[in-house]
Amino acid sequence: MTLTLYGIRPCDTVKKARHWLDTRNIEYRFHDFRVDGLAPALLQSWLDRKGHEALINRRSTTWRGLSDTARAGLNREHALTLILANPTLIKRPVLTGPDLLLIGFDEKAYARLTTD
């Protein structure tokens, strides 16, 4: 199974996920939003599968730094525009693979990777 872990290097939750995968010798490719960017088609597919409410981290520094106007009336199209301009709005990490899209680090959800 080919896995990709999306996030940013300094994020503590991303570090936890990477450590979890590394200690279990689960191979993955790391994609840093800040370095590698974020393709609109990929983001659109995540929004189609999970919705903007699940994808946006409303506790992030980036979210709190947005104007009230930018946060108001958030729908899928607006979320797409906001996230492409500010990829750190995404709840991290995002782990993808064939038929897999996990948002955030949940050890129980990750544990299923070792049983499938």
Side-chain angles (χ1 to χ4, degrees):
M1 174 181 354
T2 303
L3 299 175
T4 303
L5 186 74
Y6 295 86
I8 57 175
R9 289 192 193 284
C11 175
D12 288 338
T13 310
V14 170
K15 288 177 185 177
K16 286 179 192 177
R18 293 184 77 180
H19 177 75
W20 193 96
L21 293 166
D22 290 342
T23 58
R24 286 155 183 84
N25 296 314
I26 297 174
E27 290 186 35
Y28 65 94
R29 183 177 72 82
F30 181 67
H31 181 105
D32 189 317
F33 294 135
R34 288 186 177 150
V35 176
D36 304 316
L38 182 60
L42 178 64
L43 177 57
Q44 185 67 56
S45 72
W46 294 351
L47 290 168
D48 289 345
R49 289 177 65 187
K50 297 289 186 172
H52 67 278
E53 292 297 330
L55 202 56
I56 291 180
N57 181 0
R58 293 176 185 265
R59 295 184 307 177
S60 73
T61 304
T62 305
W63 176 260
R64 291 189 308 264
L66 293 174
S67 69
D68 290 340
T69 305
R71 291 186 291 199
L74 191 62
N75 60 29
R76 196 168 112 193
E77 286 184 30
H78 185 64
L80 178 70
T81 303
L82 275 178
I83 294 170
L84 286 173
N86 305 282
T88 55
L89 282 172
I90 294 175
K91 188 180 292 184
R92 299 177 300 267
V94 176
L95 183 64
T96 66
D99 300 319
L100 177 71
L101 177 58
L102 298 177
I103 299 171
F105 177 64
D106 176 355
E107 197 167 332
K108 288 180 183 178
Y110 275 50
R112 289 192 286 268
L113 296 171
T114 60
T115 60
D116 290 344

